[in-house]
Amino acid sequence: MDDAQIWAHIDEQRADLADLLDTLTPEQWETPSLCQGWTVRQAAAHVTQSTTNWTRVTFELMRSGFRFNALTLRMAREDHRRPEEITAAMRAMVGGRRRPPGTAVADPLVDVLVHGQDIAVPLGIPRTMPVPAAVIAAERLWTMGFPFNARRRFPNLTFAATDADFSVGDGDVVRGPIQDIVMTLSGRRAGLPVE
């Protein structure tokens, strides 16, 4: 799949997630998300922070001792925008092509798909990943190292999608929907029961 098609998936998922967020109550915004230590609001804010200008990212990275996880957690927790400001920012990202330095084109897609589930699952809201987009995300999660390290975490398993042409790994076969494979490879308990 070429970059333009990947960006089309990213735009579609950002707009769709913003629409979902617009339906949430104040209590739902403060619900713990699947992303450990983050509320729904913080997970949503994080999705919008991928377009933060490089100068600020560099400054925030230095403030976090060059620890990426500490950086993202702190930025999400310190983001005090109101829900409507977060959804407006997410919609403003549609059509934009900015991504953090050193990341692949598929990384913003992984981000919005996984964090969309981080938000929806604890709220009991069904949110289906489009299969073609989920395949791209699963392939990226499998090939990237930090922060997910899927190949290292699952050295003796093969993941095979039951609803898509997708299979990676070397070992015992674990089958499931591509959406569950994406969540598993990203380290979420909402995925397949393999850990």
Side-chain angles (χ1 to χ4, degrees):
M1 186 168 291
D2 67 24
D3 289 359
Q5 291 171 305
I6 295 172
W7 279 112
H9 285 301
I10 294 165
D11 288 343
E12 177 184 273
Q13 290 305 301
R14 286 173 171 170
D16 187 67
L17 182 56
D19 289 345
L20 168 66
L21 292 168
D22 276 340
T23 69
L24 302 185
T25 66
E27 294 76 22
Q28 288 174 311
W29 276 89
E30 296 310 316
T31 299
S33 76
L34 289 184
C35 196
Q36 188 173 359
W38 291 9
T39 63
V40 163
R41 189 187 62 73
Q42 291 163 341
H46 167 75
V47 172
T48 70
Q49 293 168 348
S50 66
T51 60
T52 302
N53 72 60
W54 312 145
T55 303
R56 178 165 179 222
V57 170
T58 302
F59 172 74
E60 296 295 344
L61 193 56
M62 287 188 297
R63 268 186 76 198
S64 300
F66 295 95
R67 293 171 297 142
F68 177 77
N69 289 338
L71 161 76
T72 58
L73 178 61
R74 189 174 46 72
M75 283 184 67
R77 287 183 174 168
E78 291 178 358
D79 190 322
H80 299 296
R81 289 177 292 170
R82 296 185 316 274
E84 59 272 18
E85 293 173 305
I86 293 170
T87 56
M90 197 170 295
R91 284 196 177 87
M93 294 167 69
V94 173
R97 299 298 178 252
R98 173 179 255 171
R99 56 190 164 91
T103 61
V105 174
D107 290 355
L109 181 59
V110 170
D111 207 41
V112 71
L113 288 175
V114 171
H115 289 306
Q117 295 300 312
D118 287 341
I119 290 165
V121 170
L123 296 175
I125 299 171
R127 182 170 169 76
T128 303
M129 290 182 193
V131 170
V135 168
I136 295 165
E139 289 170 348
R140 176 61 182 147
L141 285 162
W142 186 253
T143 59
M144 73 189 304
F146 178 82
F148 302 110
N149 300 304
R151 279 189 293 194
R152 189 177 323 147
R153 285 187 9 252
F154 305 111
N156 301 312
L157 293 178
T158 295
F159 292 94
T162 55
D163 56 351
D165 183 15
F166 176 83
S167 180
V168 294
D170 186 27
D172 295 337
V173 178
V174 176
R175 297 185 192 284
I178 189 66
Q179 178 168 322
D180 291 349
I181 291 172
V182 168
M183 296 306 285
T184 300
L185 297 181
S186 70
R188 288 350 188 240
R189 293 185 184 275
L192 299 167
V194 295
E195 293 187 289

